[in-house]
Amino acid sequence: MRRFLSYRPDRVIIVLCLLAILIFLNSSASPTALHLSRNPPNPQTSIPAQVWQLYTTAGSRTTNTTHQDALKATGIATNLAATWFPVDGDWSYRFIGTGFGTQFVKEHFKDQQDIVDVYTSLRVPVMASDFLRYLLLAGEGGVYADSDVEMIMPLQDWVPEPYRNAIRAMVGIEKDHPADDEPDGWSFRFVQHTMMTAKGHPIMVNMARNITDKMLKLSREKNTPMSELELHDRDVVRITGPRGFKDVVFEHLSKEVGENIGWRNLTKLKEPRLFGDTLVVPINFFAGGQQHSGSDGASPDKRVQHYWKGTWRHWDESMA
């Protein structure tokens, strides 16, 4: 018997209705009120049995969720959402929107007002989505996955058995191939669409701090309020996106083992490799089925399938 709900039209309808109700409640619920859980909390040093999925809208970070938002969000995610609902095992699931995300940030980072200010000032959906996923994991930990990610392997089997009591983060490789336009002629990235960490893990905490500091610096340099900044793709990549994330991950891995770690230490990785509290896993774990980097969509290591729907974009664009 499958451990997770299979894709059937009747179940998709149920999931659609459930997600719409959850998101509608999210607009007025406190960050701690909407928590569908059957399990007691795990020790803070372990990775909590908690799944996060989200969407963000263009404009103000304080925008309340509407029925239209809920329908659009669930319309994109419905075919995949059923794969994230466990029918056995002790996992919680949250699908959250803009208003609830802002409440979460204000509650969990009330002692770091600059983080709250930067998050609530962001007007670029992809940057808000990036920032919020890091803050969710920094604040409570668990598994984050984009709403266009399908779960292939049951969550309780994601961490290879030899490492299950040894790690506080698991990071996957997404790109690992030659590229003329990249430093050293090589493109190397870590996965951001699916991440797994303990509460307060340095990768997520440092990523949140770096984003905050870079955005404040940019605002000062341009003498422009953050909500009015004109941002470009290169800003997204280096601040909240893959380049910024890669730098923070390498910095943490280096600190954990006491030596400089870069892409040359991880290129063509075939087996998981432990760096202190962080397990780096080969490309097929979280990025199988791509048309580059030796990715294999049929690999038995495959945990998820990412469909690259771009659900971080404004809804009018992502629905196209």
Side-chain angles (χ1 to χ4, degrees):
M1 178 180 295
R2 291 188 63 186
R3 298 182 181 180
F4 295 88
L5 297 175
S6 59
Y7 175 67
R8 286 176 19 192
D10 57 336
R11 286 176 173 168
V12 167
I13 293 172
I14 292 172
V15 171
L16 176 64
C17 295
L18 177 59
L19 286 176
I21 292 169
L22 292 182
I23 298 172
F24 175 71
L25 291 175
N26 253 345
S27 63
S28 58
S30 71
T32 56
L34 186 61
H35 189 188
L36 307 181
S37 177
R38 299 181 298 162
N39 60 299
N42 288 341
Q44 185 170 332
T45 54
S46 65
I47 298 173
Q50 169 69 58
V51 175
W52 301 94
Q53 293 191 298
L54 61 87
Y55 75 96
T56 56
T57 54
S60 172
R61 298 273 68 75
T62 60
T63 302
N64 285 330
T65 304
T66 66
H67 287 85
Q68 289 78 12
D69 291 330
L71 289 173
K72 289 177 180 178
T74 53
I76 291 173
T78 297
N79 291 343
L80 306 176
T83 68
W84 292 98
F85 281 85
V87 294
D88 65 0
D90 293 325
W91 283 83
S92 306
Y93 176 88
R94 297 189 197 182
F95 187 76
I96 67 175
T98 302
F100 180 84
T102 299
Q103 292 179 51
F104 180 98
V105 174
K106 288 181 175 179
E107 178 175 296
H108 286 75
F109 298 91
K110 59 187 176 184
D111 295 329
Q112 301 179 68
Q113 188 59 42
D114 55 349
I115 288 179
V116 177
D117 291 343
V118 169
Y119 177 74
T120 55
S121 297
L122 284 173
R123 296 294 180 268
V124 181
V126 62
M127 297 187 80
S129 174
D130 284 345
F131 200 5
L132 183 54
R133 71 189 66 185
Y134 305 132
L135 292 171
L136 291 170
L137 294 181
E140 290 197 10
V143 171
Y144 168 81
D146 281 355
S147 58
D148 57 354
V149 172
E150 177 185 11
M151 181 169 59
I152 303 297
M153 181 182 292
L155 284 159
Q156 54 265 35
D157 298 331
W158 276 23
V159 180
E161 191 167 355
Y163 304 103
R164 286 181 187 171
N165 296 318
I167 71 166
R168 297 185 68 239
M170 188 162 81
V171 180
I173 295 170
E174 182 175 68
K175 283 189 175 183
D176 182 20
H177 62 80
D180 293 337
D181 59 345
E182 292 282 349
D184 303 320
W186 203 265
S187 178
F188 192 96
R189 289 185 181 180
F190 293 106
V191 172
Q192 293 170 272
H193 61 71
T194 307
M195 301 182 291
M196 186 177 197
T197 75
K199 175 181 178 179
H201 191 273
I203 289 176
M204 298 303 153
V205 171
N206 293 340
M207 193 65 194
R209 174 46 53 193
N210 280 8
I211 291 169
T212 301
D213 292 345
K214 289 175 181 177
M215 289 300 299
L216 290 172
K217 180 181 179 183
L218 194 62
S219 179
R220 288 194 303 268
E221 289 175 346
K222 295 190 175 185
N223 194 29
T224 304
M226 201 168 307
S227 60
E228 299 176 14
L229 283 172
E230 183 178 347
L231 298 167
H232 304 281
D233 288 347
R234 63 178 179 273
D235 298 314
V236 175
V237 170
R238 74 176 182 87
I239 296 176
T240 66
R243 185 162 298 167
F245 186 59
K246 179 177 67 174
D247 290 345
V248 168
V249 172
F250 278 142
E251 180 182 354
H252 178 70
L253 300 182
S254 299
K255 185 176 181 180
E256 286 292 289
V257 299
E259 62 180 271
N260 187 47
I261 300 297
W263 68 267
R264 289 182 176 85
N265 301 97
L266 293 172
T267 186
K268 309 302 181 184
L269 188 71
K270 298 301 182 185
E271 298 291 336
R273 184 174 173 187
L274 187 64
F275 294 82
D277 69 353
T278 301
L279 187 67
V280 180
V281 294
I283 196 166
N284 288 328
F285 275 60
F286 292 148
Q290 299 179 114
Q291 300 301 312
H292 57 76
S293 307
S295 174
D296 179 6
S299 170
D301 291 334
K302 191 174 180 180
R303 270 64 176 164
V304 299
Q305 176 64 54
H306 185 209
Y307 289 100
W308 301 96
K309 297 293 185 181
T311 48
W312 46 263
R313 295 188 179 96
H314 187 276
W315 288 117
D316 288 343
E317 297 171 356
S318 62
M319 294 296 287

